[in-house]
Amino acid sequence: MAVVYFLIVFMAVVVVHELGHFVFAKLFRVDVHEFAIGFGPKIYQKKFRKTLFRINVFPLGGYVKLAGEDPTEAQSPQSLYSKPAWQRLLIFLAGPLFSILAGYMLFVLIVSMWGVPAISIAYVEPGKPAHEAGLRDGDIILKINGRRVYDSYTVSQTIRKGKSVELTVLRNGEKIVINAAPRLFEESHFMLLKDVVGDVRVGTRINSVAGKPLNPVQLSSLVENYVSVETDAGTFRGLLKQYQYDPPKYALGFYFATVSNVFRKDFDVFKRGDVLLSVEDITVKNNVDLSRIYQLVLAQETGFYIEVQHDRIVWARRGLPDEVSVTLMRDDREIQLKIPSSLIKNVLETAGLFEPKTSNLRPANAFEVIAVAVDRCNNVLVTMYRSLFGVFRGREAGGVVGPVGLVAFIGETAKAGLEPVLTLVALITMSLGIFNLLPLPALDGGRIVFSLIELLSRKKVKPELENLIHFIGFLLLIALMVFVTFGDIGRLMGR
């Protein structure tokens, strides 16, 4: 089904793109010989006026074949290269333009039906800048420095610049403006140890691990090894199962909300609507609590989960026993269960088992729907633009996916419902539009460049030279596609 979903999405995106070229070609009276979906031998075809509409056997793209598309062939009055440069520029531009406009239209539909994501705060740490400024658990961040935000990444990146920020938050239906100054937080270390022998105390300073100073490179190399941890209160020893390092950064001291503690569907002894109140003596209010419980399940009764800031232990807890006490609220009644800790592990590893912390925010009227949808699309375009240049600079090459990667991604997204699928389609079609605008040979952007050269110099580039440049560009694109596909396969095999 993942392949089927991919083909439906991919073909819809391609048809919209090629429709742009088709419409503008017809507008400027350029004959369109073929409008094809897919490549290879035909499955079905029907001629309408001068255009042959066909569906081909390999559904991995599509094309429109314009009269005189090869600049070296003889040109008639209805051929592409017999038209003025400005008309050719618009024909080449129309494909990417239609792709991007389709994204805007989809986002208007998405916002009108489901609203926009709510960036909610799960937990504000006492004594940290966020708490001092007035932020509280459950606040929903609407804007940062006057700009609407739709994802936690944008908020985090703005805060990490270290400059004071103005946050517009929604609290109990009321908009509140809060000014906060980020603080440079010290580095953090997160360690999961098993078979621990010795006393682990919160507040003590770690002097060394395996005889060496606390160092992320050193600790990463010691995973799956027994280590001795020397503190100013004594020494403890254990098997280092996991290690995570968080470098120094500017922050306000709050955690974003992801999921609530309410079950959205039945799972083993748990029922839809159950509210998870506690596991052992650990109160559960948000995803931060759930994350810590998961680490304690992994640590098991002989281990410890330890959080260290700079060199001081700020949180430590022995792992959970094989059987744990769980408190639930079910049908307004508080009930207690004794269950295996392995079941808690399965619960926390199962995606989509808990309700989201907050539902989407719905615009108040049609005008706000359009304004918010356009603003969200503008944000997406800016992010894509920066990411694309990051790829060419070698900074974000690992984030590039091709058809194989998209098959898996679309298949997973389809499980989450119609809204995520439509959002993904909008992102893909906008990505296609932006990519095709790159001034590279064989892409629409490359053909636009040749049209601009002719407009500015009032001289046509030699057809043979233009054809050769586009052919070389086509070969480079094929090579890029092969490279990306191998990367997709490598990621899938590594799962």
Side-chain angles (χ1 to χ4, degrees):
M1 286 307 299
V3 174
V4 173
Y5 295 143
F6 165 76
L7 292 178
I8 293 172
V9 169
F10 192 69
M11 295 315 302
V13 166
V14 169
V15 167
V16 168
H17 183 91
E18 297 303 333
L19 185 62
H21 295 310
F22 176 83
V23 169
F24 272 71
K26 286 294 188 181
L27 180 65
F28 295 125
R29 300 184 184 281
V30 174
D31 286 343
V32 181
H33 294 323
E34 288 183 19
F35 189 120
I37 299 174
F39 296 100
K42 68 177 182 296
I43 298 175
Y44 171 83
Q45 68 177 26
K46 185 174 180 63
K47 191 161 188 176
F48 181 73
R49 295 184 179 175
K50 294 182 178 181
T51 305
L52 182 67
F53 294 88
R54 56 186 286 172
I55 300 175
N56 297 324
V57 68
F58 301 115
L60 289 174
Y63 61 90
V64 290
K65 187 175 181 181
L66 306 179
E69 194 168 352
D70 183 346
T72 61
E73 67 183 53
Q75 302 292 318
S76 68
Q78 283 73 44
S79 296
L80 179 64
Y81 278 89
S82 69
K83 301 299 179 181
W86 69 270
Q87 292 186 5
R88 279 185 276 123
L89 186 151
L90 291 177
I91 291 172
F92 297 138
L93 178 64
L97 185 64
F98 269 48
S99 293
I100 293 171
L101 288 177
Y104 275 83
M105 293 173 66
L106 279 171
F107 269 114
V108 169
L109 175 65
I110 293 164
V111 172
S112 66
M113 293 184 67
W114 293 284
V116 293
I119 313 304
S120 182
I121 295 175
Y123 173 63
V124 180
E125 295 182 273
K128 297 297 169 56
H131 192 271
E132 293 169 355
L135 280 175
R136 295 294 179 261
D137 298 357
D139 284 352
I140 297 172
I141 301 175
L142 300 176
K143 297 180 181 179
I144 185 165
N145 294 335
R147 299 196 63 178
R148 185 87 188 225
V149 288
Y150 305 97
D151 57 82
S152 57
Y153 176 80
T154 302
V155 177
S156 297
Q157 291 303 107
T158 304
I159 291 172
R160 287 181 184 180
K161 292 176 182 177
K163 298 178 181 179
S164 294
V165 294
E166 180 187 87
L167 298 171
T168 303
V169 303
L170 187 67
R171 182 186 300 166
N172 299 324
E174 180 185 356
K175 291 182 181 179
I176 303 171
V177 176
I178 293 174
N179 292 286
R183 184 186 305 162
L184 184 62
F185 280 57
E186 295 180 311
E187 63 182 7
S188 298
H189 309 266
F190 304 90
M191 294 183 283
L192 180 65
L193 291 98
K194 286 190 175 181
D195 304 330
V196 174
V197 177
D199 194 11
V200 181
R201 294 187 190 176
V202 174
T204 56
R205 178 178 283 107
I206 294 179
N207 299 319
S208 67
V209 178
K212 295 184 179 180
L214 200 62
N215 178 279
V217 176
Q218 158 86 357
L219 284 170
S220 296
S221 68
L222 290 173
V223 173
E224 296 296 342
N225 287 280
Y226 278 91
V227 297
S228 292
V229 182
E230 211 177 289
T231 73
D232 54 12
T235 302
F236 60 88
R237 177 181 172 82
L239 175 64
L240 184 61
K241 288 296 294 182
Q242 289 184 11
Y243 170 72
Q244 181 184 336
Y245 173 69
D246 202 357
K249 64 185 179 186
Y250 281 98
L252 290 177
F254 67 83
Y255 293 86
F256 292 107
T258 53
V259 296
S260 68
N261 57 344
V262 180
F263 284 84
R264 71 188 305 177
K265 55 187 176 183
D266 295 349
F267 189 89
D268 203 280
V269 298
F270 301 103
K271 304 296 181 183
R272 180 180 177 181
D274 282 354
V275 182
L276 182 61
L277 300 178
S278 68
V279 176
E280 289 292 283
D281 59 343
I282 305 169
T283 302
V284 180
K285 293 182 179 179
N286 49 53
N287 46 279
V288 179
D289 299 325
L290 292 174
S291 177
R292 279 181 168 169
I293 289 170
Y294 181 67
Q295 295 298 334
L296 296 176
V297 169
L298 295 179
Q300 298 177 344
E301 197 167 7
T302 61
F304 266 88
Y305 175 59
I306 303 170
E307 296 179 7
V308 180
Q309 284 185 3
H310 187 48
D311 60 359
R312 191 174 295 277
I313 299 175
V314 295
W315 197 88
R317 168 82 190 224
R318 184 173 291 279
L320 296 178
D322 291 337
E323 189 176 65
V324 294
S325 297
V326 172
T327 305
L328 298 173
M329 182 68 72
R330 178 182 295 171
D331 300 328
D332 296 324
R333 289 189 306 111
E334 193 173 292
I335 63 173
Q336 289 191 334
L337 303 172
K338 276 281 189 180
I339 62 173
S341 60
S342 58
L343 177 55
I344 290 291
K345 180 174 181 288
N346 291 339
V347 165
L348 298 175
E349 287 179 342
T350 302
L353 194 54
F354 288 99
E355 293 281 359
K357 182 64 176 178
T358 51
S359 57
N360 285 5
L361 296 174
R362 302 293 293 270
N365 50 57
F367 176 78
E368 191 177 349
V369 165
I370 295 172
V372 170
V374 169
D375 182 67
R376 190 177 180 193
C377 271
N378 292 342
N379 275 271
V380 169
L381 284 176
V382 171
T383 302
M384 286 180 176
Y385 170 82
R386 289 174 178 167
S387 299
L388 200 55
F389 275 85
V391 169
F392 282 101
R393 290 172 184 168
R395 296 177 184 173
E396 301 182 34
V400 179
V401 296
V404 175
L406 280 176
V407 169
F409 196 42
I410 291 172
E412 288 298 314
T413 305
K415 297 176 184 177
L418 183 58
E419 180 197 355
V421 170
L422 290 179
T423 302
L424 181 59
V425 173
L427 296 176
I428 292 173
T429 187
M430 293 173 77
S431 298
L432 178 66
I434 291 176
F435 182 75
N436 267 277
L437 283 175
L438 290 175
L440 300 176
L443 293 179
D444 293 326
R447 297 182 185 276
I448 289 171
V449 168
F450 281 103
S451 300
L452 285 172
I453 291 172
E454 184 179 334
L455 274 172
L456 295 174
S457 67
R458 299 185 181 279
K459 292 181 180 178
K460 279 189 176 182
V461 178
K462 288 184 178 180
E464 294 81 8
L465 176 61
E466 183 176 346
N467 238 19
L468 176 62
I469 291 173
H470 288 316
F471 178 71
I472 294 172
F474 177 74
L475 294 179
L476 291 174
L477 285 175
I478 293 297
L480 174 64
M481 183 60 67
V482 171
F483 173 77
V484 170
T485 300
F486 273 106
D488 288 343
I489 294 171
R491 276 190 289 268
L492 289 172
M493 292 179 67
R495 286 186 173 184

